Amino acid sequence: LEFELEELSKYIDSHQEEYVQTLREWVAVESDSSDVLKRSDLERMMDMTAEKLKAMGGTVELVDIGVQELGGGKTIPLPKVVTAQFGSDSSKYTVCVYGHVDVQPAKMEDGWATEPYNLTDINGNLYGRGASDNKAPVLAWIHTVEAYQALGIELPVNVKFVIEGMEETGSNGLDAMIVSKNDTFFADVDYIVISDCGWLSRRPALTYGTRGNCYFFAEVEGPKQDLHSGVYGGTVIEPMTDLIGILDTLISPSGKILIPGIRDAVAPLSDEEWRLYQDVEFDVENYKAKIGVSRLMYSSKVDLLAHRWRYPTVSIHGIEGAFSAPGSKTVIPAKVIAKFSIRQVPNMDPATVEKQVTDYLHTVFGRRKSPNKLKVTMIIGAKPWLADTQHPLYKAGREAVKKVFKVDPDMIREGGTIPIAKTFQDVTRKSIIMLPIGGFDDGLHSQNEKMSRYNYIEGTKLFVSYLHEVGQIKRD
Ligand SMILES: NCC(=O)N[C@@H](Cc1c[nH]cn1)C(=O)O
Ligand SMILES: [Zn+2]
Ligand SMILES: [Zn+2]
């Protein structure tokens, strides 16, 4: 057995260049799910994923998950979800790997040092949009199955894949697909594995929680068209002033959420959690240096981890309709739409948050006695997810990390959201583990996103070893 793992490890090392080349081909596809104009690229990405799995002999399906509403009665087809199956031996566990191949937007003008869709190797770091989130981890799982196949070593478990193309915009359409396939595709699945997150430091980690997210649009509409600020300024009540005014009532400068009721549902921090956070490897100075700030919202490690992982927060992302180009334009925008989101933690409920935020914004807007119109819409309501770290899946994770990296993993939570995690848990009732291979400094959603060769290759070995460990889990 040890010999087989050794052989698999050698195989992975000797195929490094091929793995990097496939990642290069995948990164070259601008599969940005937020931009409907890129929908054909995203469809191509789903097709490429399906083709790769088919070429390996998997039973592959491109599942139609319906249409996306664009507003004004318009719709476009959602990218199909790729499902695949390798093996159907009922004496083995069946592990379902979930991942996504859509990406966040990226433009050179955002401040990338290299072309975002041209994978560029600098000192062993592979820079490109989607490299770490989530194309390399998805490929690492595919290469895992491929390595077993190539060496003629029997897979220790049956492996299924669910790969989607709308994760970055809230996994539109996937909930319904999981519900509809619960008695078919998911019926024989024992465990679900997600590798869509990163380590916290250089120490490998197992992730046992993710925050949810409620994403809002707040639209303020005033005059029927944009106006000259010299000609009309001072006479009209400006939509942007109203919008900035209400946005400023969401959160205090010290990070306190001001929306009534929001903080009431948050589970209190237990002593055990506090101790767990104490033990996690996290260098505050390094973190500050990495993001390039002189001061953070909190100074202690435990406070920072708690606010990153298990407290809600408000982030304001942008204002559609606002003048944002270089240079100066003396305009009064007629209609502006703020985009902000509130990360969700246990025991918050998105439906309650939707009402709290909508009522509150209408109240503060009402106080301004503005003639403009406010419309608040929640466009994503993703729930948080939390796992039982004592589950055999986590024991298997600890063993696999120890085998490959010769250290114990950190037990961490993720501040970001994997919208579908909670649905998998609630609908399929299967146990889930998040097994990250991304580095702590990969710059997800940011400029210069990267995946290191080290994490990509050693991460593939981790997956190989993980399947072996899961195959060893004792049946009840
Ligand atoms: N790698 C996971 C990830 O980045 N997820 C997104 C999903 C999301 C949440 N709200 C809108 N999209 C994230 O921002 O956490
Ligand atoms: Zn992701
Ligand atoms: Zn992402």
Side-chain angles (χ1 to χ4, degrees):
L1 230 59
E2 289 301 321
F3 173 73
E4 285 181 347
L5 289 175
E6 200 50 43
E7 288 302 294
L8 285 158
S9 178
K10 278 192 210 143
Y11 179 90
I12 292 162
D13 279 332
S14 64
H15 285 73
Q16 180 171 154
E17 289 317 315
E18 189 185 311
Y19 296 164
V20 170
Q21 179 53 25
T22 312
L23 181 60
R24 181 165 290 118
E25 285 159 22
W26 279 31
V27 165
V29 184
E30 299 189 27
S31 50
D32 171 1
S33 54
S34 72
D35 184 351
V36 290
L37 299 175
K38 303 249 174 78
R39 197 47 60 88
S40 61
D41 289 299
L42 184 49
E43 280 162 5
R44 187 155 57 90
M45 190 67 241
M46 304 319 296
D47 288 341
M48 279 166 67
T49 308
E51 288 314 315
K52 173 100 191 138
L53 292 161
K54 266 186 214 157
M56 290 160 56
T59 308
V60 180
E61 216 192 309
L62 274 157
V63 184
D64 188 341
I65 54 164
V67 294
Q68 182 181 356
E69 310 282 343
L70 296 181
K74 288 201 196 106
T75 60
I76 47 161
L78 283 163
K80 292 192 171 55
V81 172
V82 179
T83 62
Q85 173 166 3
F86 294 87
S88 56
D89 182 340
S90 58
S91 68
K92 293 179 184 172
Y93 288 115
T94 298
V95 170
C96 177
V97 174
Y98 159 84
H100 67 92
V101 288
D102 61 316
V103 300
Q104 288 278 321
K107 290 196 294 285
M108 206 57 196
E109 311 86 272
D110 296 338
W112 281 69
T114 59
E115 187 54 55
Y117 294 103
N118 180 13
L119 194 76
T120 308
D121 186 346
I122 303 174
N123 299 330
N125 284 323
L126 306 166
Y127 291 89
R129 172 55 90 224
S132 180
D133 183 12
N134 180 229
K135 289 178 175 177
V138 168
L139 279 172
W141 273 113
I142 293 175
H143 296 146
T144 295
V145 174
E146 219 173 37
Y148 273 100
Q149 289 178 330
L151 293 181
I153 300 173
E154 202 183 324
L155 274 166
V157 295
N158 305 310
V159 180
K160 288 189 168 183
F161 284 92
V162 173
I163 310 294
E164 68 154 321
M166 286 299 282
E167 195 275 345
E168 298 293 7
T169 45
S171 289
N172 206 338
L174 191 58
D175 291 87
M177 190 213 98
I178 294 170
V179 171
S180 75
K181 289 197 175 285
N182 196 29
D183 296 331
T184 51
F185 183 82
F186 292 103
D188 63 351
V189 168
D190 295 289
Y191 304 125
I192 294 167
V193 186
I194 302 177
S195 302
D196 185 19
C197 36
W199 302 346
L200 188 70
S201 64
R202 292 191 196 281
R203 181 181 282 272
L206 304 180
T207 306
Y208 65 94
T210 51
R211 291 195 289 190
N213 202 13
C214 288
Y215 202 108
F216 290 90
F217 285 5
E219 175 187 302
V220 179
E221 188 169 9
K224 63 181 182 191
Q225 65 199 62
D226 291 355
L227 301 171
H228 186 304
S229 68
V231 177
Y232 296 98
T235 63
V236 289
I237 294 155
E238 302 187 15
M240 184 84 90
T241 312
D242 280 344
L243 187 65
I244 304 277
I246 65 169
L247 288 179
D248 194 39
T249 67
L250 292 173
I251 188 159
S252 81
S254 60
K256 184 174 163 198
I257 298 179
L258 304 173
I259 307 153
I262 290 276
R263 289 176 302 137
D264 299 347
V266 176
L269 181 79
S270 68
D271 291 348
E272 195 198 334
E273 259 183 286
W274 196 90
R275 275 193 297 275
L276 221 117
Y277 294 1
Q278 272 282 325
D279 291 344
V280 169
E281 189 171 310
F282 181 68
D283 182 336
V284 175
E285 287 311 311
N286 200 4
Y287 182 67
K288 260 170 37 184
K290 188 190 91 185
I291 48 186
V293 296
S294 59
R295 190 165 59 83
L296 294 161
M297 197 72 94
Y298 307 94
S299 51
S300 86
K301 172 172 105 171
V302 172
D303 277 339
L304 286 168
L305 291 178
H307 283 273
R308 187 168 155 168
W309 292 347
R310 56 100 61 229
Y311 286 121
T313 191
V314 172
S315 298
I316 299 172
H317 309 295
I319 300 181
E320 189 178 323
F323 169 62
S324 65
S328 60
K329 181 180 178 189
T330 50
V331 67
I332 297 172
K335 182 168 101 177
V336 278
I337 308 169
K339 319 279 173 94
F340 66 92
S341 71
I342 306 179
R343 295 286 169 176
Q344 305 288 296
V345 298
N347 303 308
M348 295 170 84
D349 168 41
T352 310
V353 171
E354 179 176 23
K355 184 162 174 6
Q356 287 165 334
V357 171
T358 309
D359 290 352
Y360 175 66
L361 285 182
H362 278 287
T363 304
V364 292
F365 186 73
R367 284 193 210 123
R368 300 180 68 86
K369 306 215 179 310
S370 169
N372 298 327
K373 282 189 236 33
L374 169 71
K375 192 165 99 193
V376 181
T377 325
M378 186 173 88
I379 61 142
I380 299 173
K383 292 180 181 165
W385 165 82
L386 205 56
D388 168 14
T389 55
Q390 298 313 310
H391 191 280
L393 276 184
Y394 279 84
K395 186 171 173 290
R398 283 189 277 270
E399 289 306 317
V401 167
K402 269 194 264 180
K403 279 211 173 92
V404 176
F405 297 99
K406 318 287 177 229
V407 291
D408 285 315
D410 261 337
M411 299 303 292
I412 64 169
R413 283 165 74 161
E414 175 68 48
T417 306
I418 297 177
I420 214 60
K422 181 73 173 145
T423 308
F424 274 131
Q425 194 172 48
D426 291 350
V427 176
T428 69
R429 307 242 156 235
K430 315 290 176 179
S431 298
I432 304 170
I433 183 170
M434 293 206 188
L435 189 60
I437 59 167
F440 72 98
D441 55 354
D442 281 358
L444 314 180
H445 295 202
S446 186
Q447 294 89 346
N448 306 320
E449 177 181 348
K450 61 101 175 131
M451 180 82 186
S452 71
R453 278 178 181 259
Y454 174 78
N455 282 57
Y456 188 24
I457 298 305
E458 298 308 304
T460 309
K461 293 179 194 171
L462 175 67
F463 293 163
V464 160
S465 186
Y466 188 66
L467 291 189
H468 165 73
E469 294 298 331
V470 172
Q472 305 288 102
I473 295 177
K474 288 209 174 47
R475 294 206 175 249
D476 306 318

